[in-house]
């Protein structure tokens, strides 16, 4: 009987120590068992852009905050007016990289646009989504837009 009580008491003490350790771990930053793609931002607004103008570029920066190397497998865009480029090399834990998005306004219709980019990787999340948006305007519309936009006052020097 005494032996059973000692075993039970020992089990309770070990269970309490494990519960305390688990509670402390829950308050700390979560550890990712595999690779994890953490994007600094997931959307970008180009604003009013000339439809016949140059290509527009934005780089989405990311960090692998997981414990394993991150590999971007493929990046799919929602239309032929968007191109994406990225490194095929693995990104080590705590390292960073960029996904470069190029919007070609002359390849799409004028007006507001909202394009989706899907990122497939070995991240524990599997798939991540980026969006780019703006308003592609012909030259006359762009000039009118600039004329009707409220002017911001220049900052005064102190």
């Amino acid at each position: 009987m005494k032996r059973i009580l000692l075993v039970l008491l020992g089990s309770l003490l070990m269970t309490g120590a494990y519960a305390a350790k688990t509670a402390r771990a829950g308050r700390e930053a979560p550890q990712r068992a595999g690779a994890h793609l953490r994007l600094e931002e997931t959307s970008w607004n180009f604003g009013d852009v000339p439809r016949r103008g140059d290509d527009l570029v934005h780089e989405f920066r990311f960090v692998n905050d997981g414990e394993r190397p991150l590999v971007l497998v493929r990046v799919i865009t929602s239309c032929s007016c968007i191109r994406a480029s990225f490194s095929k090399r693995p990104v080590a834990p705590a390292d960073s990289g960029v996904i470069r998005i190029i919007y070609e306004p002359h390849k799409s219709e004028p007006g507001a646009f909202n394009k989706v980019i899907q990122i497939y990787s070995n991240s524990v999340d599997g798939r991540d989504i980026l969006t780019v948006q703006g308003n592609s305007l012909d030259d006359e519309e762009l000039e009118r837009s600039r004329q009707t936009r409220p002017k911001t006052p220049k900052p005064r020097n102190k």
Side-chain angles (χ1 to χ4, degrees), residues 77-150:
T77 61
S78 61
C79 92
S80 63
C81 60
I82 297 276
R83 288 181 292 148
S85 62
F86 57 95
S87 175
K88 311 290 191 275
R89 291 189 174 148
V91 178
D95 274 353
S96 61
V98 296
I99 300 169
R100 184 181 172 112
I101 302 298
I102 300 139
Y103 173 64
E104 300 173 275
H106 62 277
K107 288 189 173 181
S108 67
E109 296 296 319
F113 63 89
N114 188 10
K115 306 297 179 183
V116 176
I117 299 107
Q118 299 180 63
I119 305 164
Y120 290 91
S121 69
N122 68 330
S123 173
V124 293
D125 294 339
R127 181 183 74 149
D128 291 274
I129 303 288
L130 300 173
T131 59
V132 292
Q133 59 190 347
N135 193 19
S136 177
L137 301 171
D138 288 320
D139 293 337
E140 304 83 34
E141 292 175 304
L142 188 60
E143 187 57 37
R144 266 184 275 153
S145 170
R146 288 182 179 152
Q147 289 174 354
T148 59
R149 187 178 302 144

Side-chain angles (χ1 to χ4, degrees), residues 41 43-44 46 56-61 99-103 132:
E41 60 189 353
S43 65
W44 182 256
F46 286 112
L56 304 169
V57 177
H58 183 71
E59 291 184 343
F60 287 92
R61 300 190 182 286
I99 300 169
R100 184 181 172 112
I101 302 298
I102 300 139
Y103 173 64
V132 292

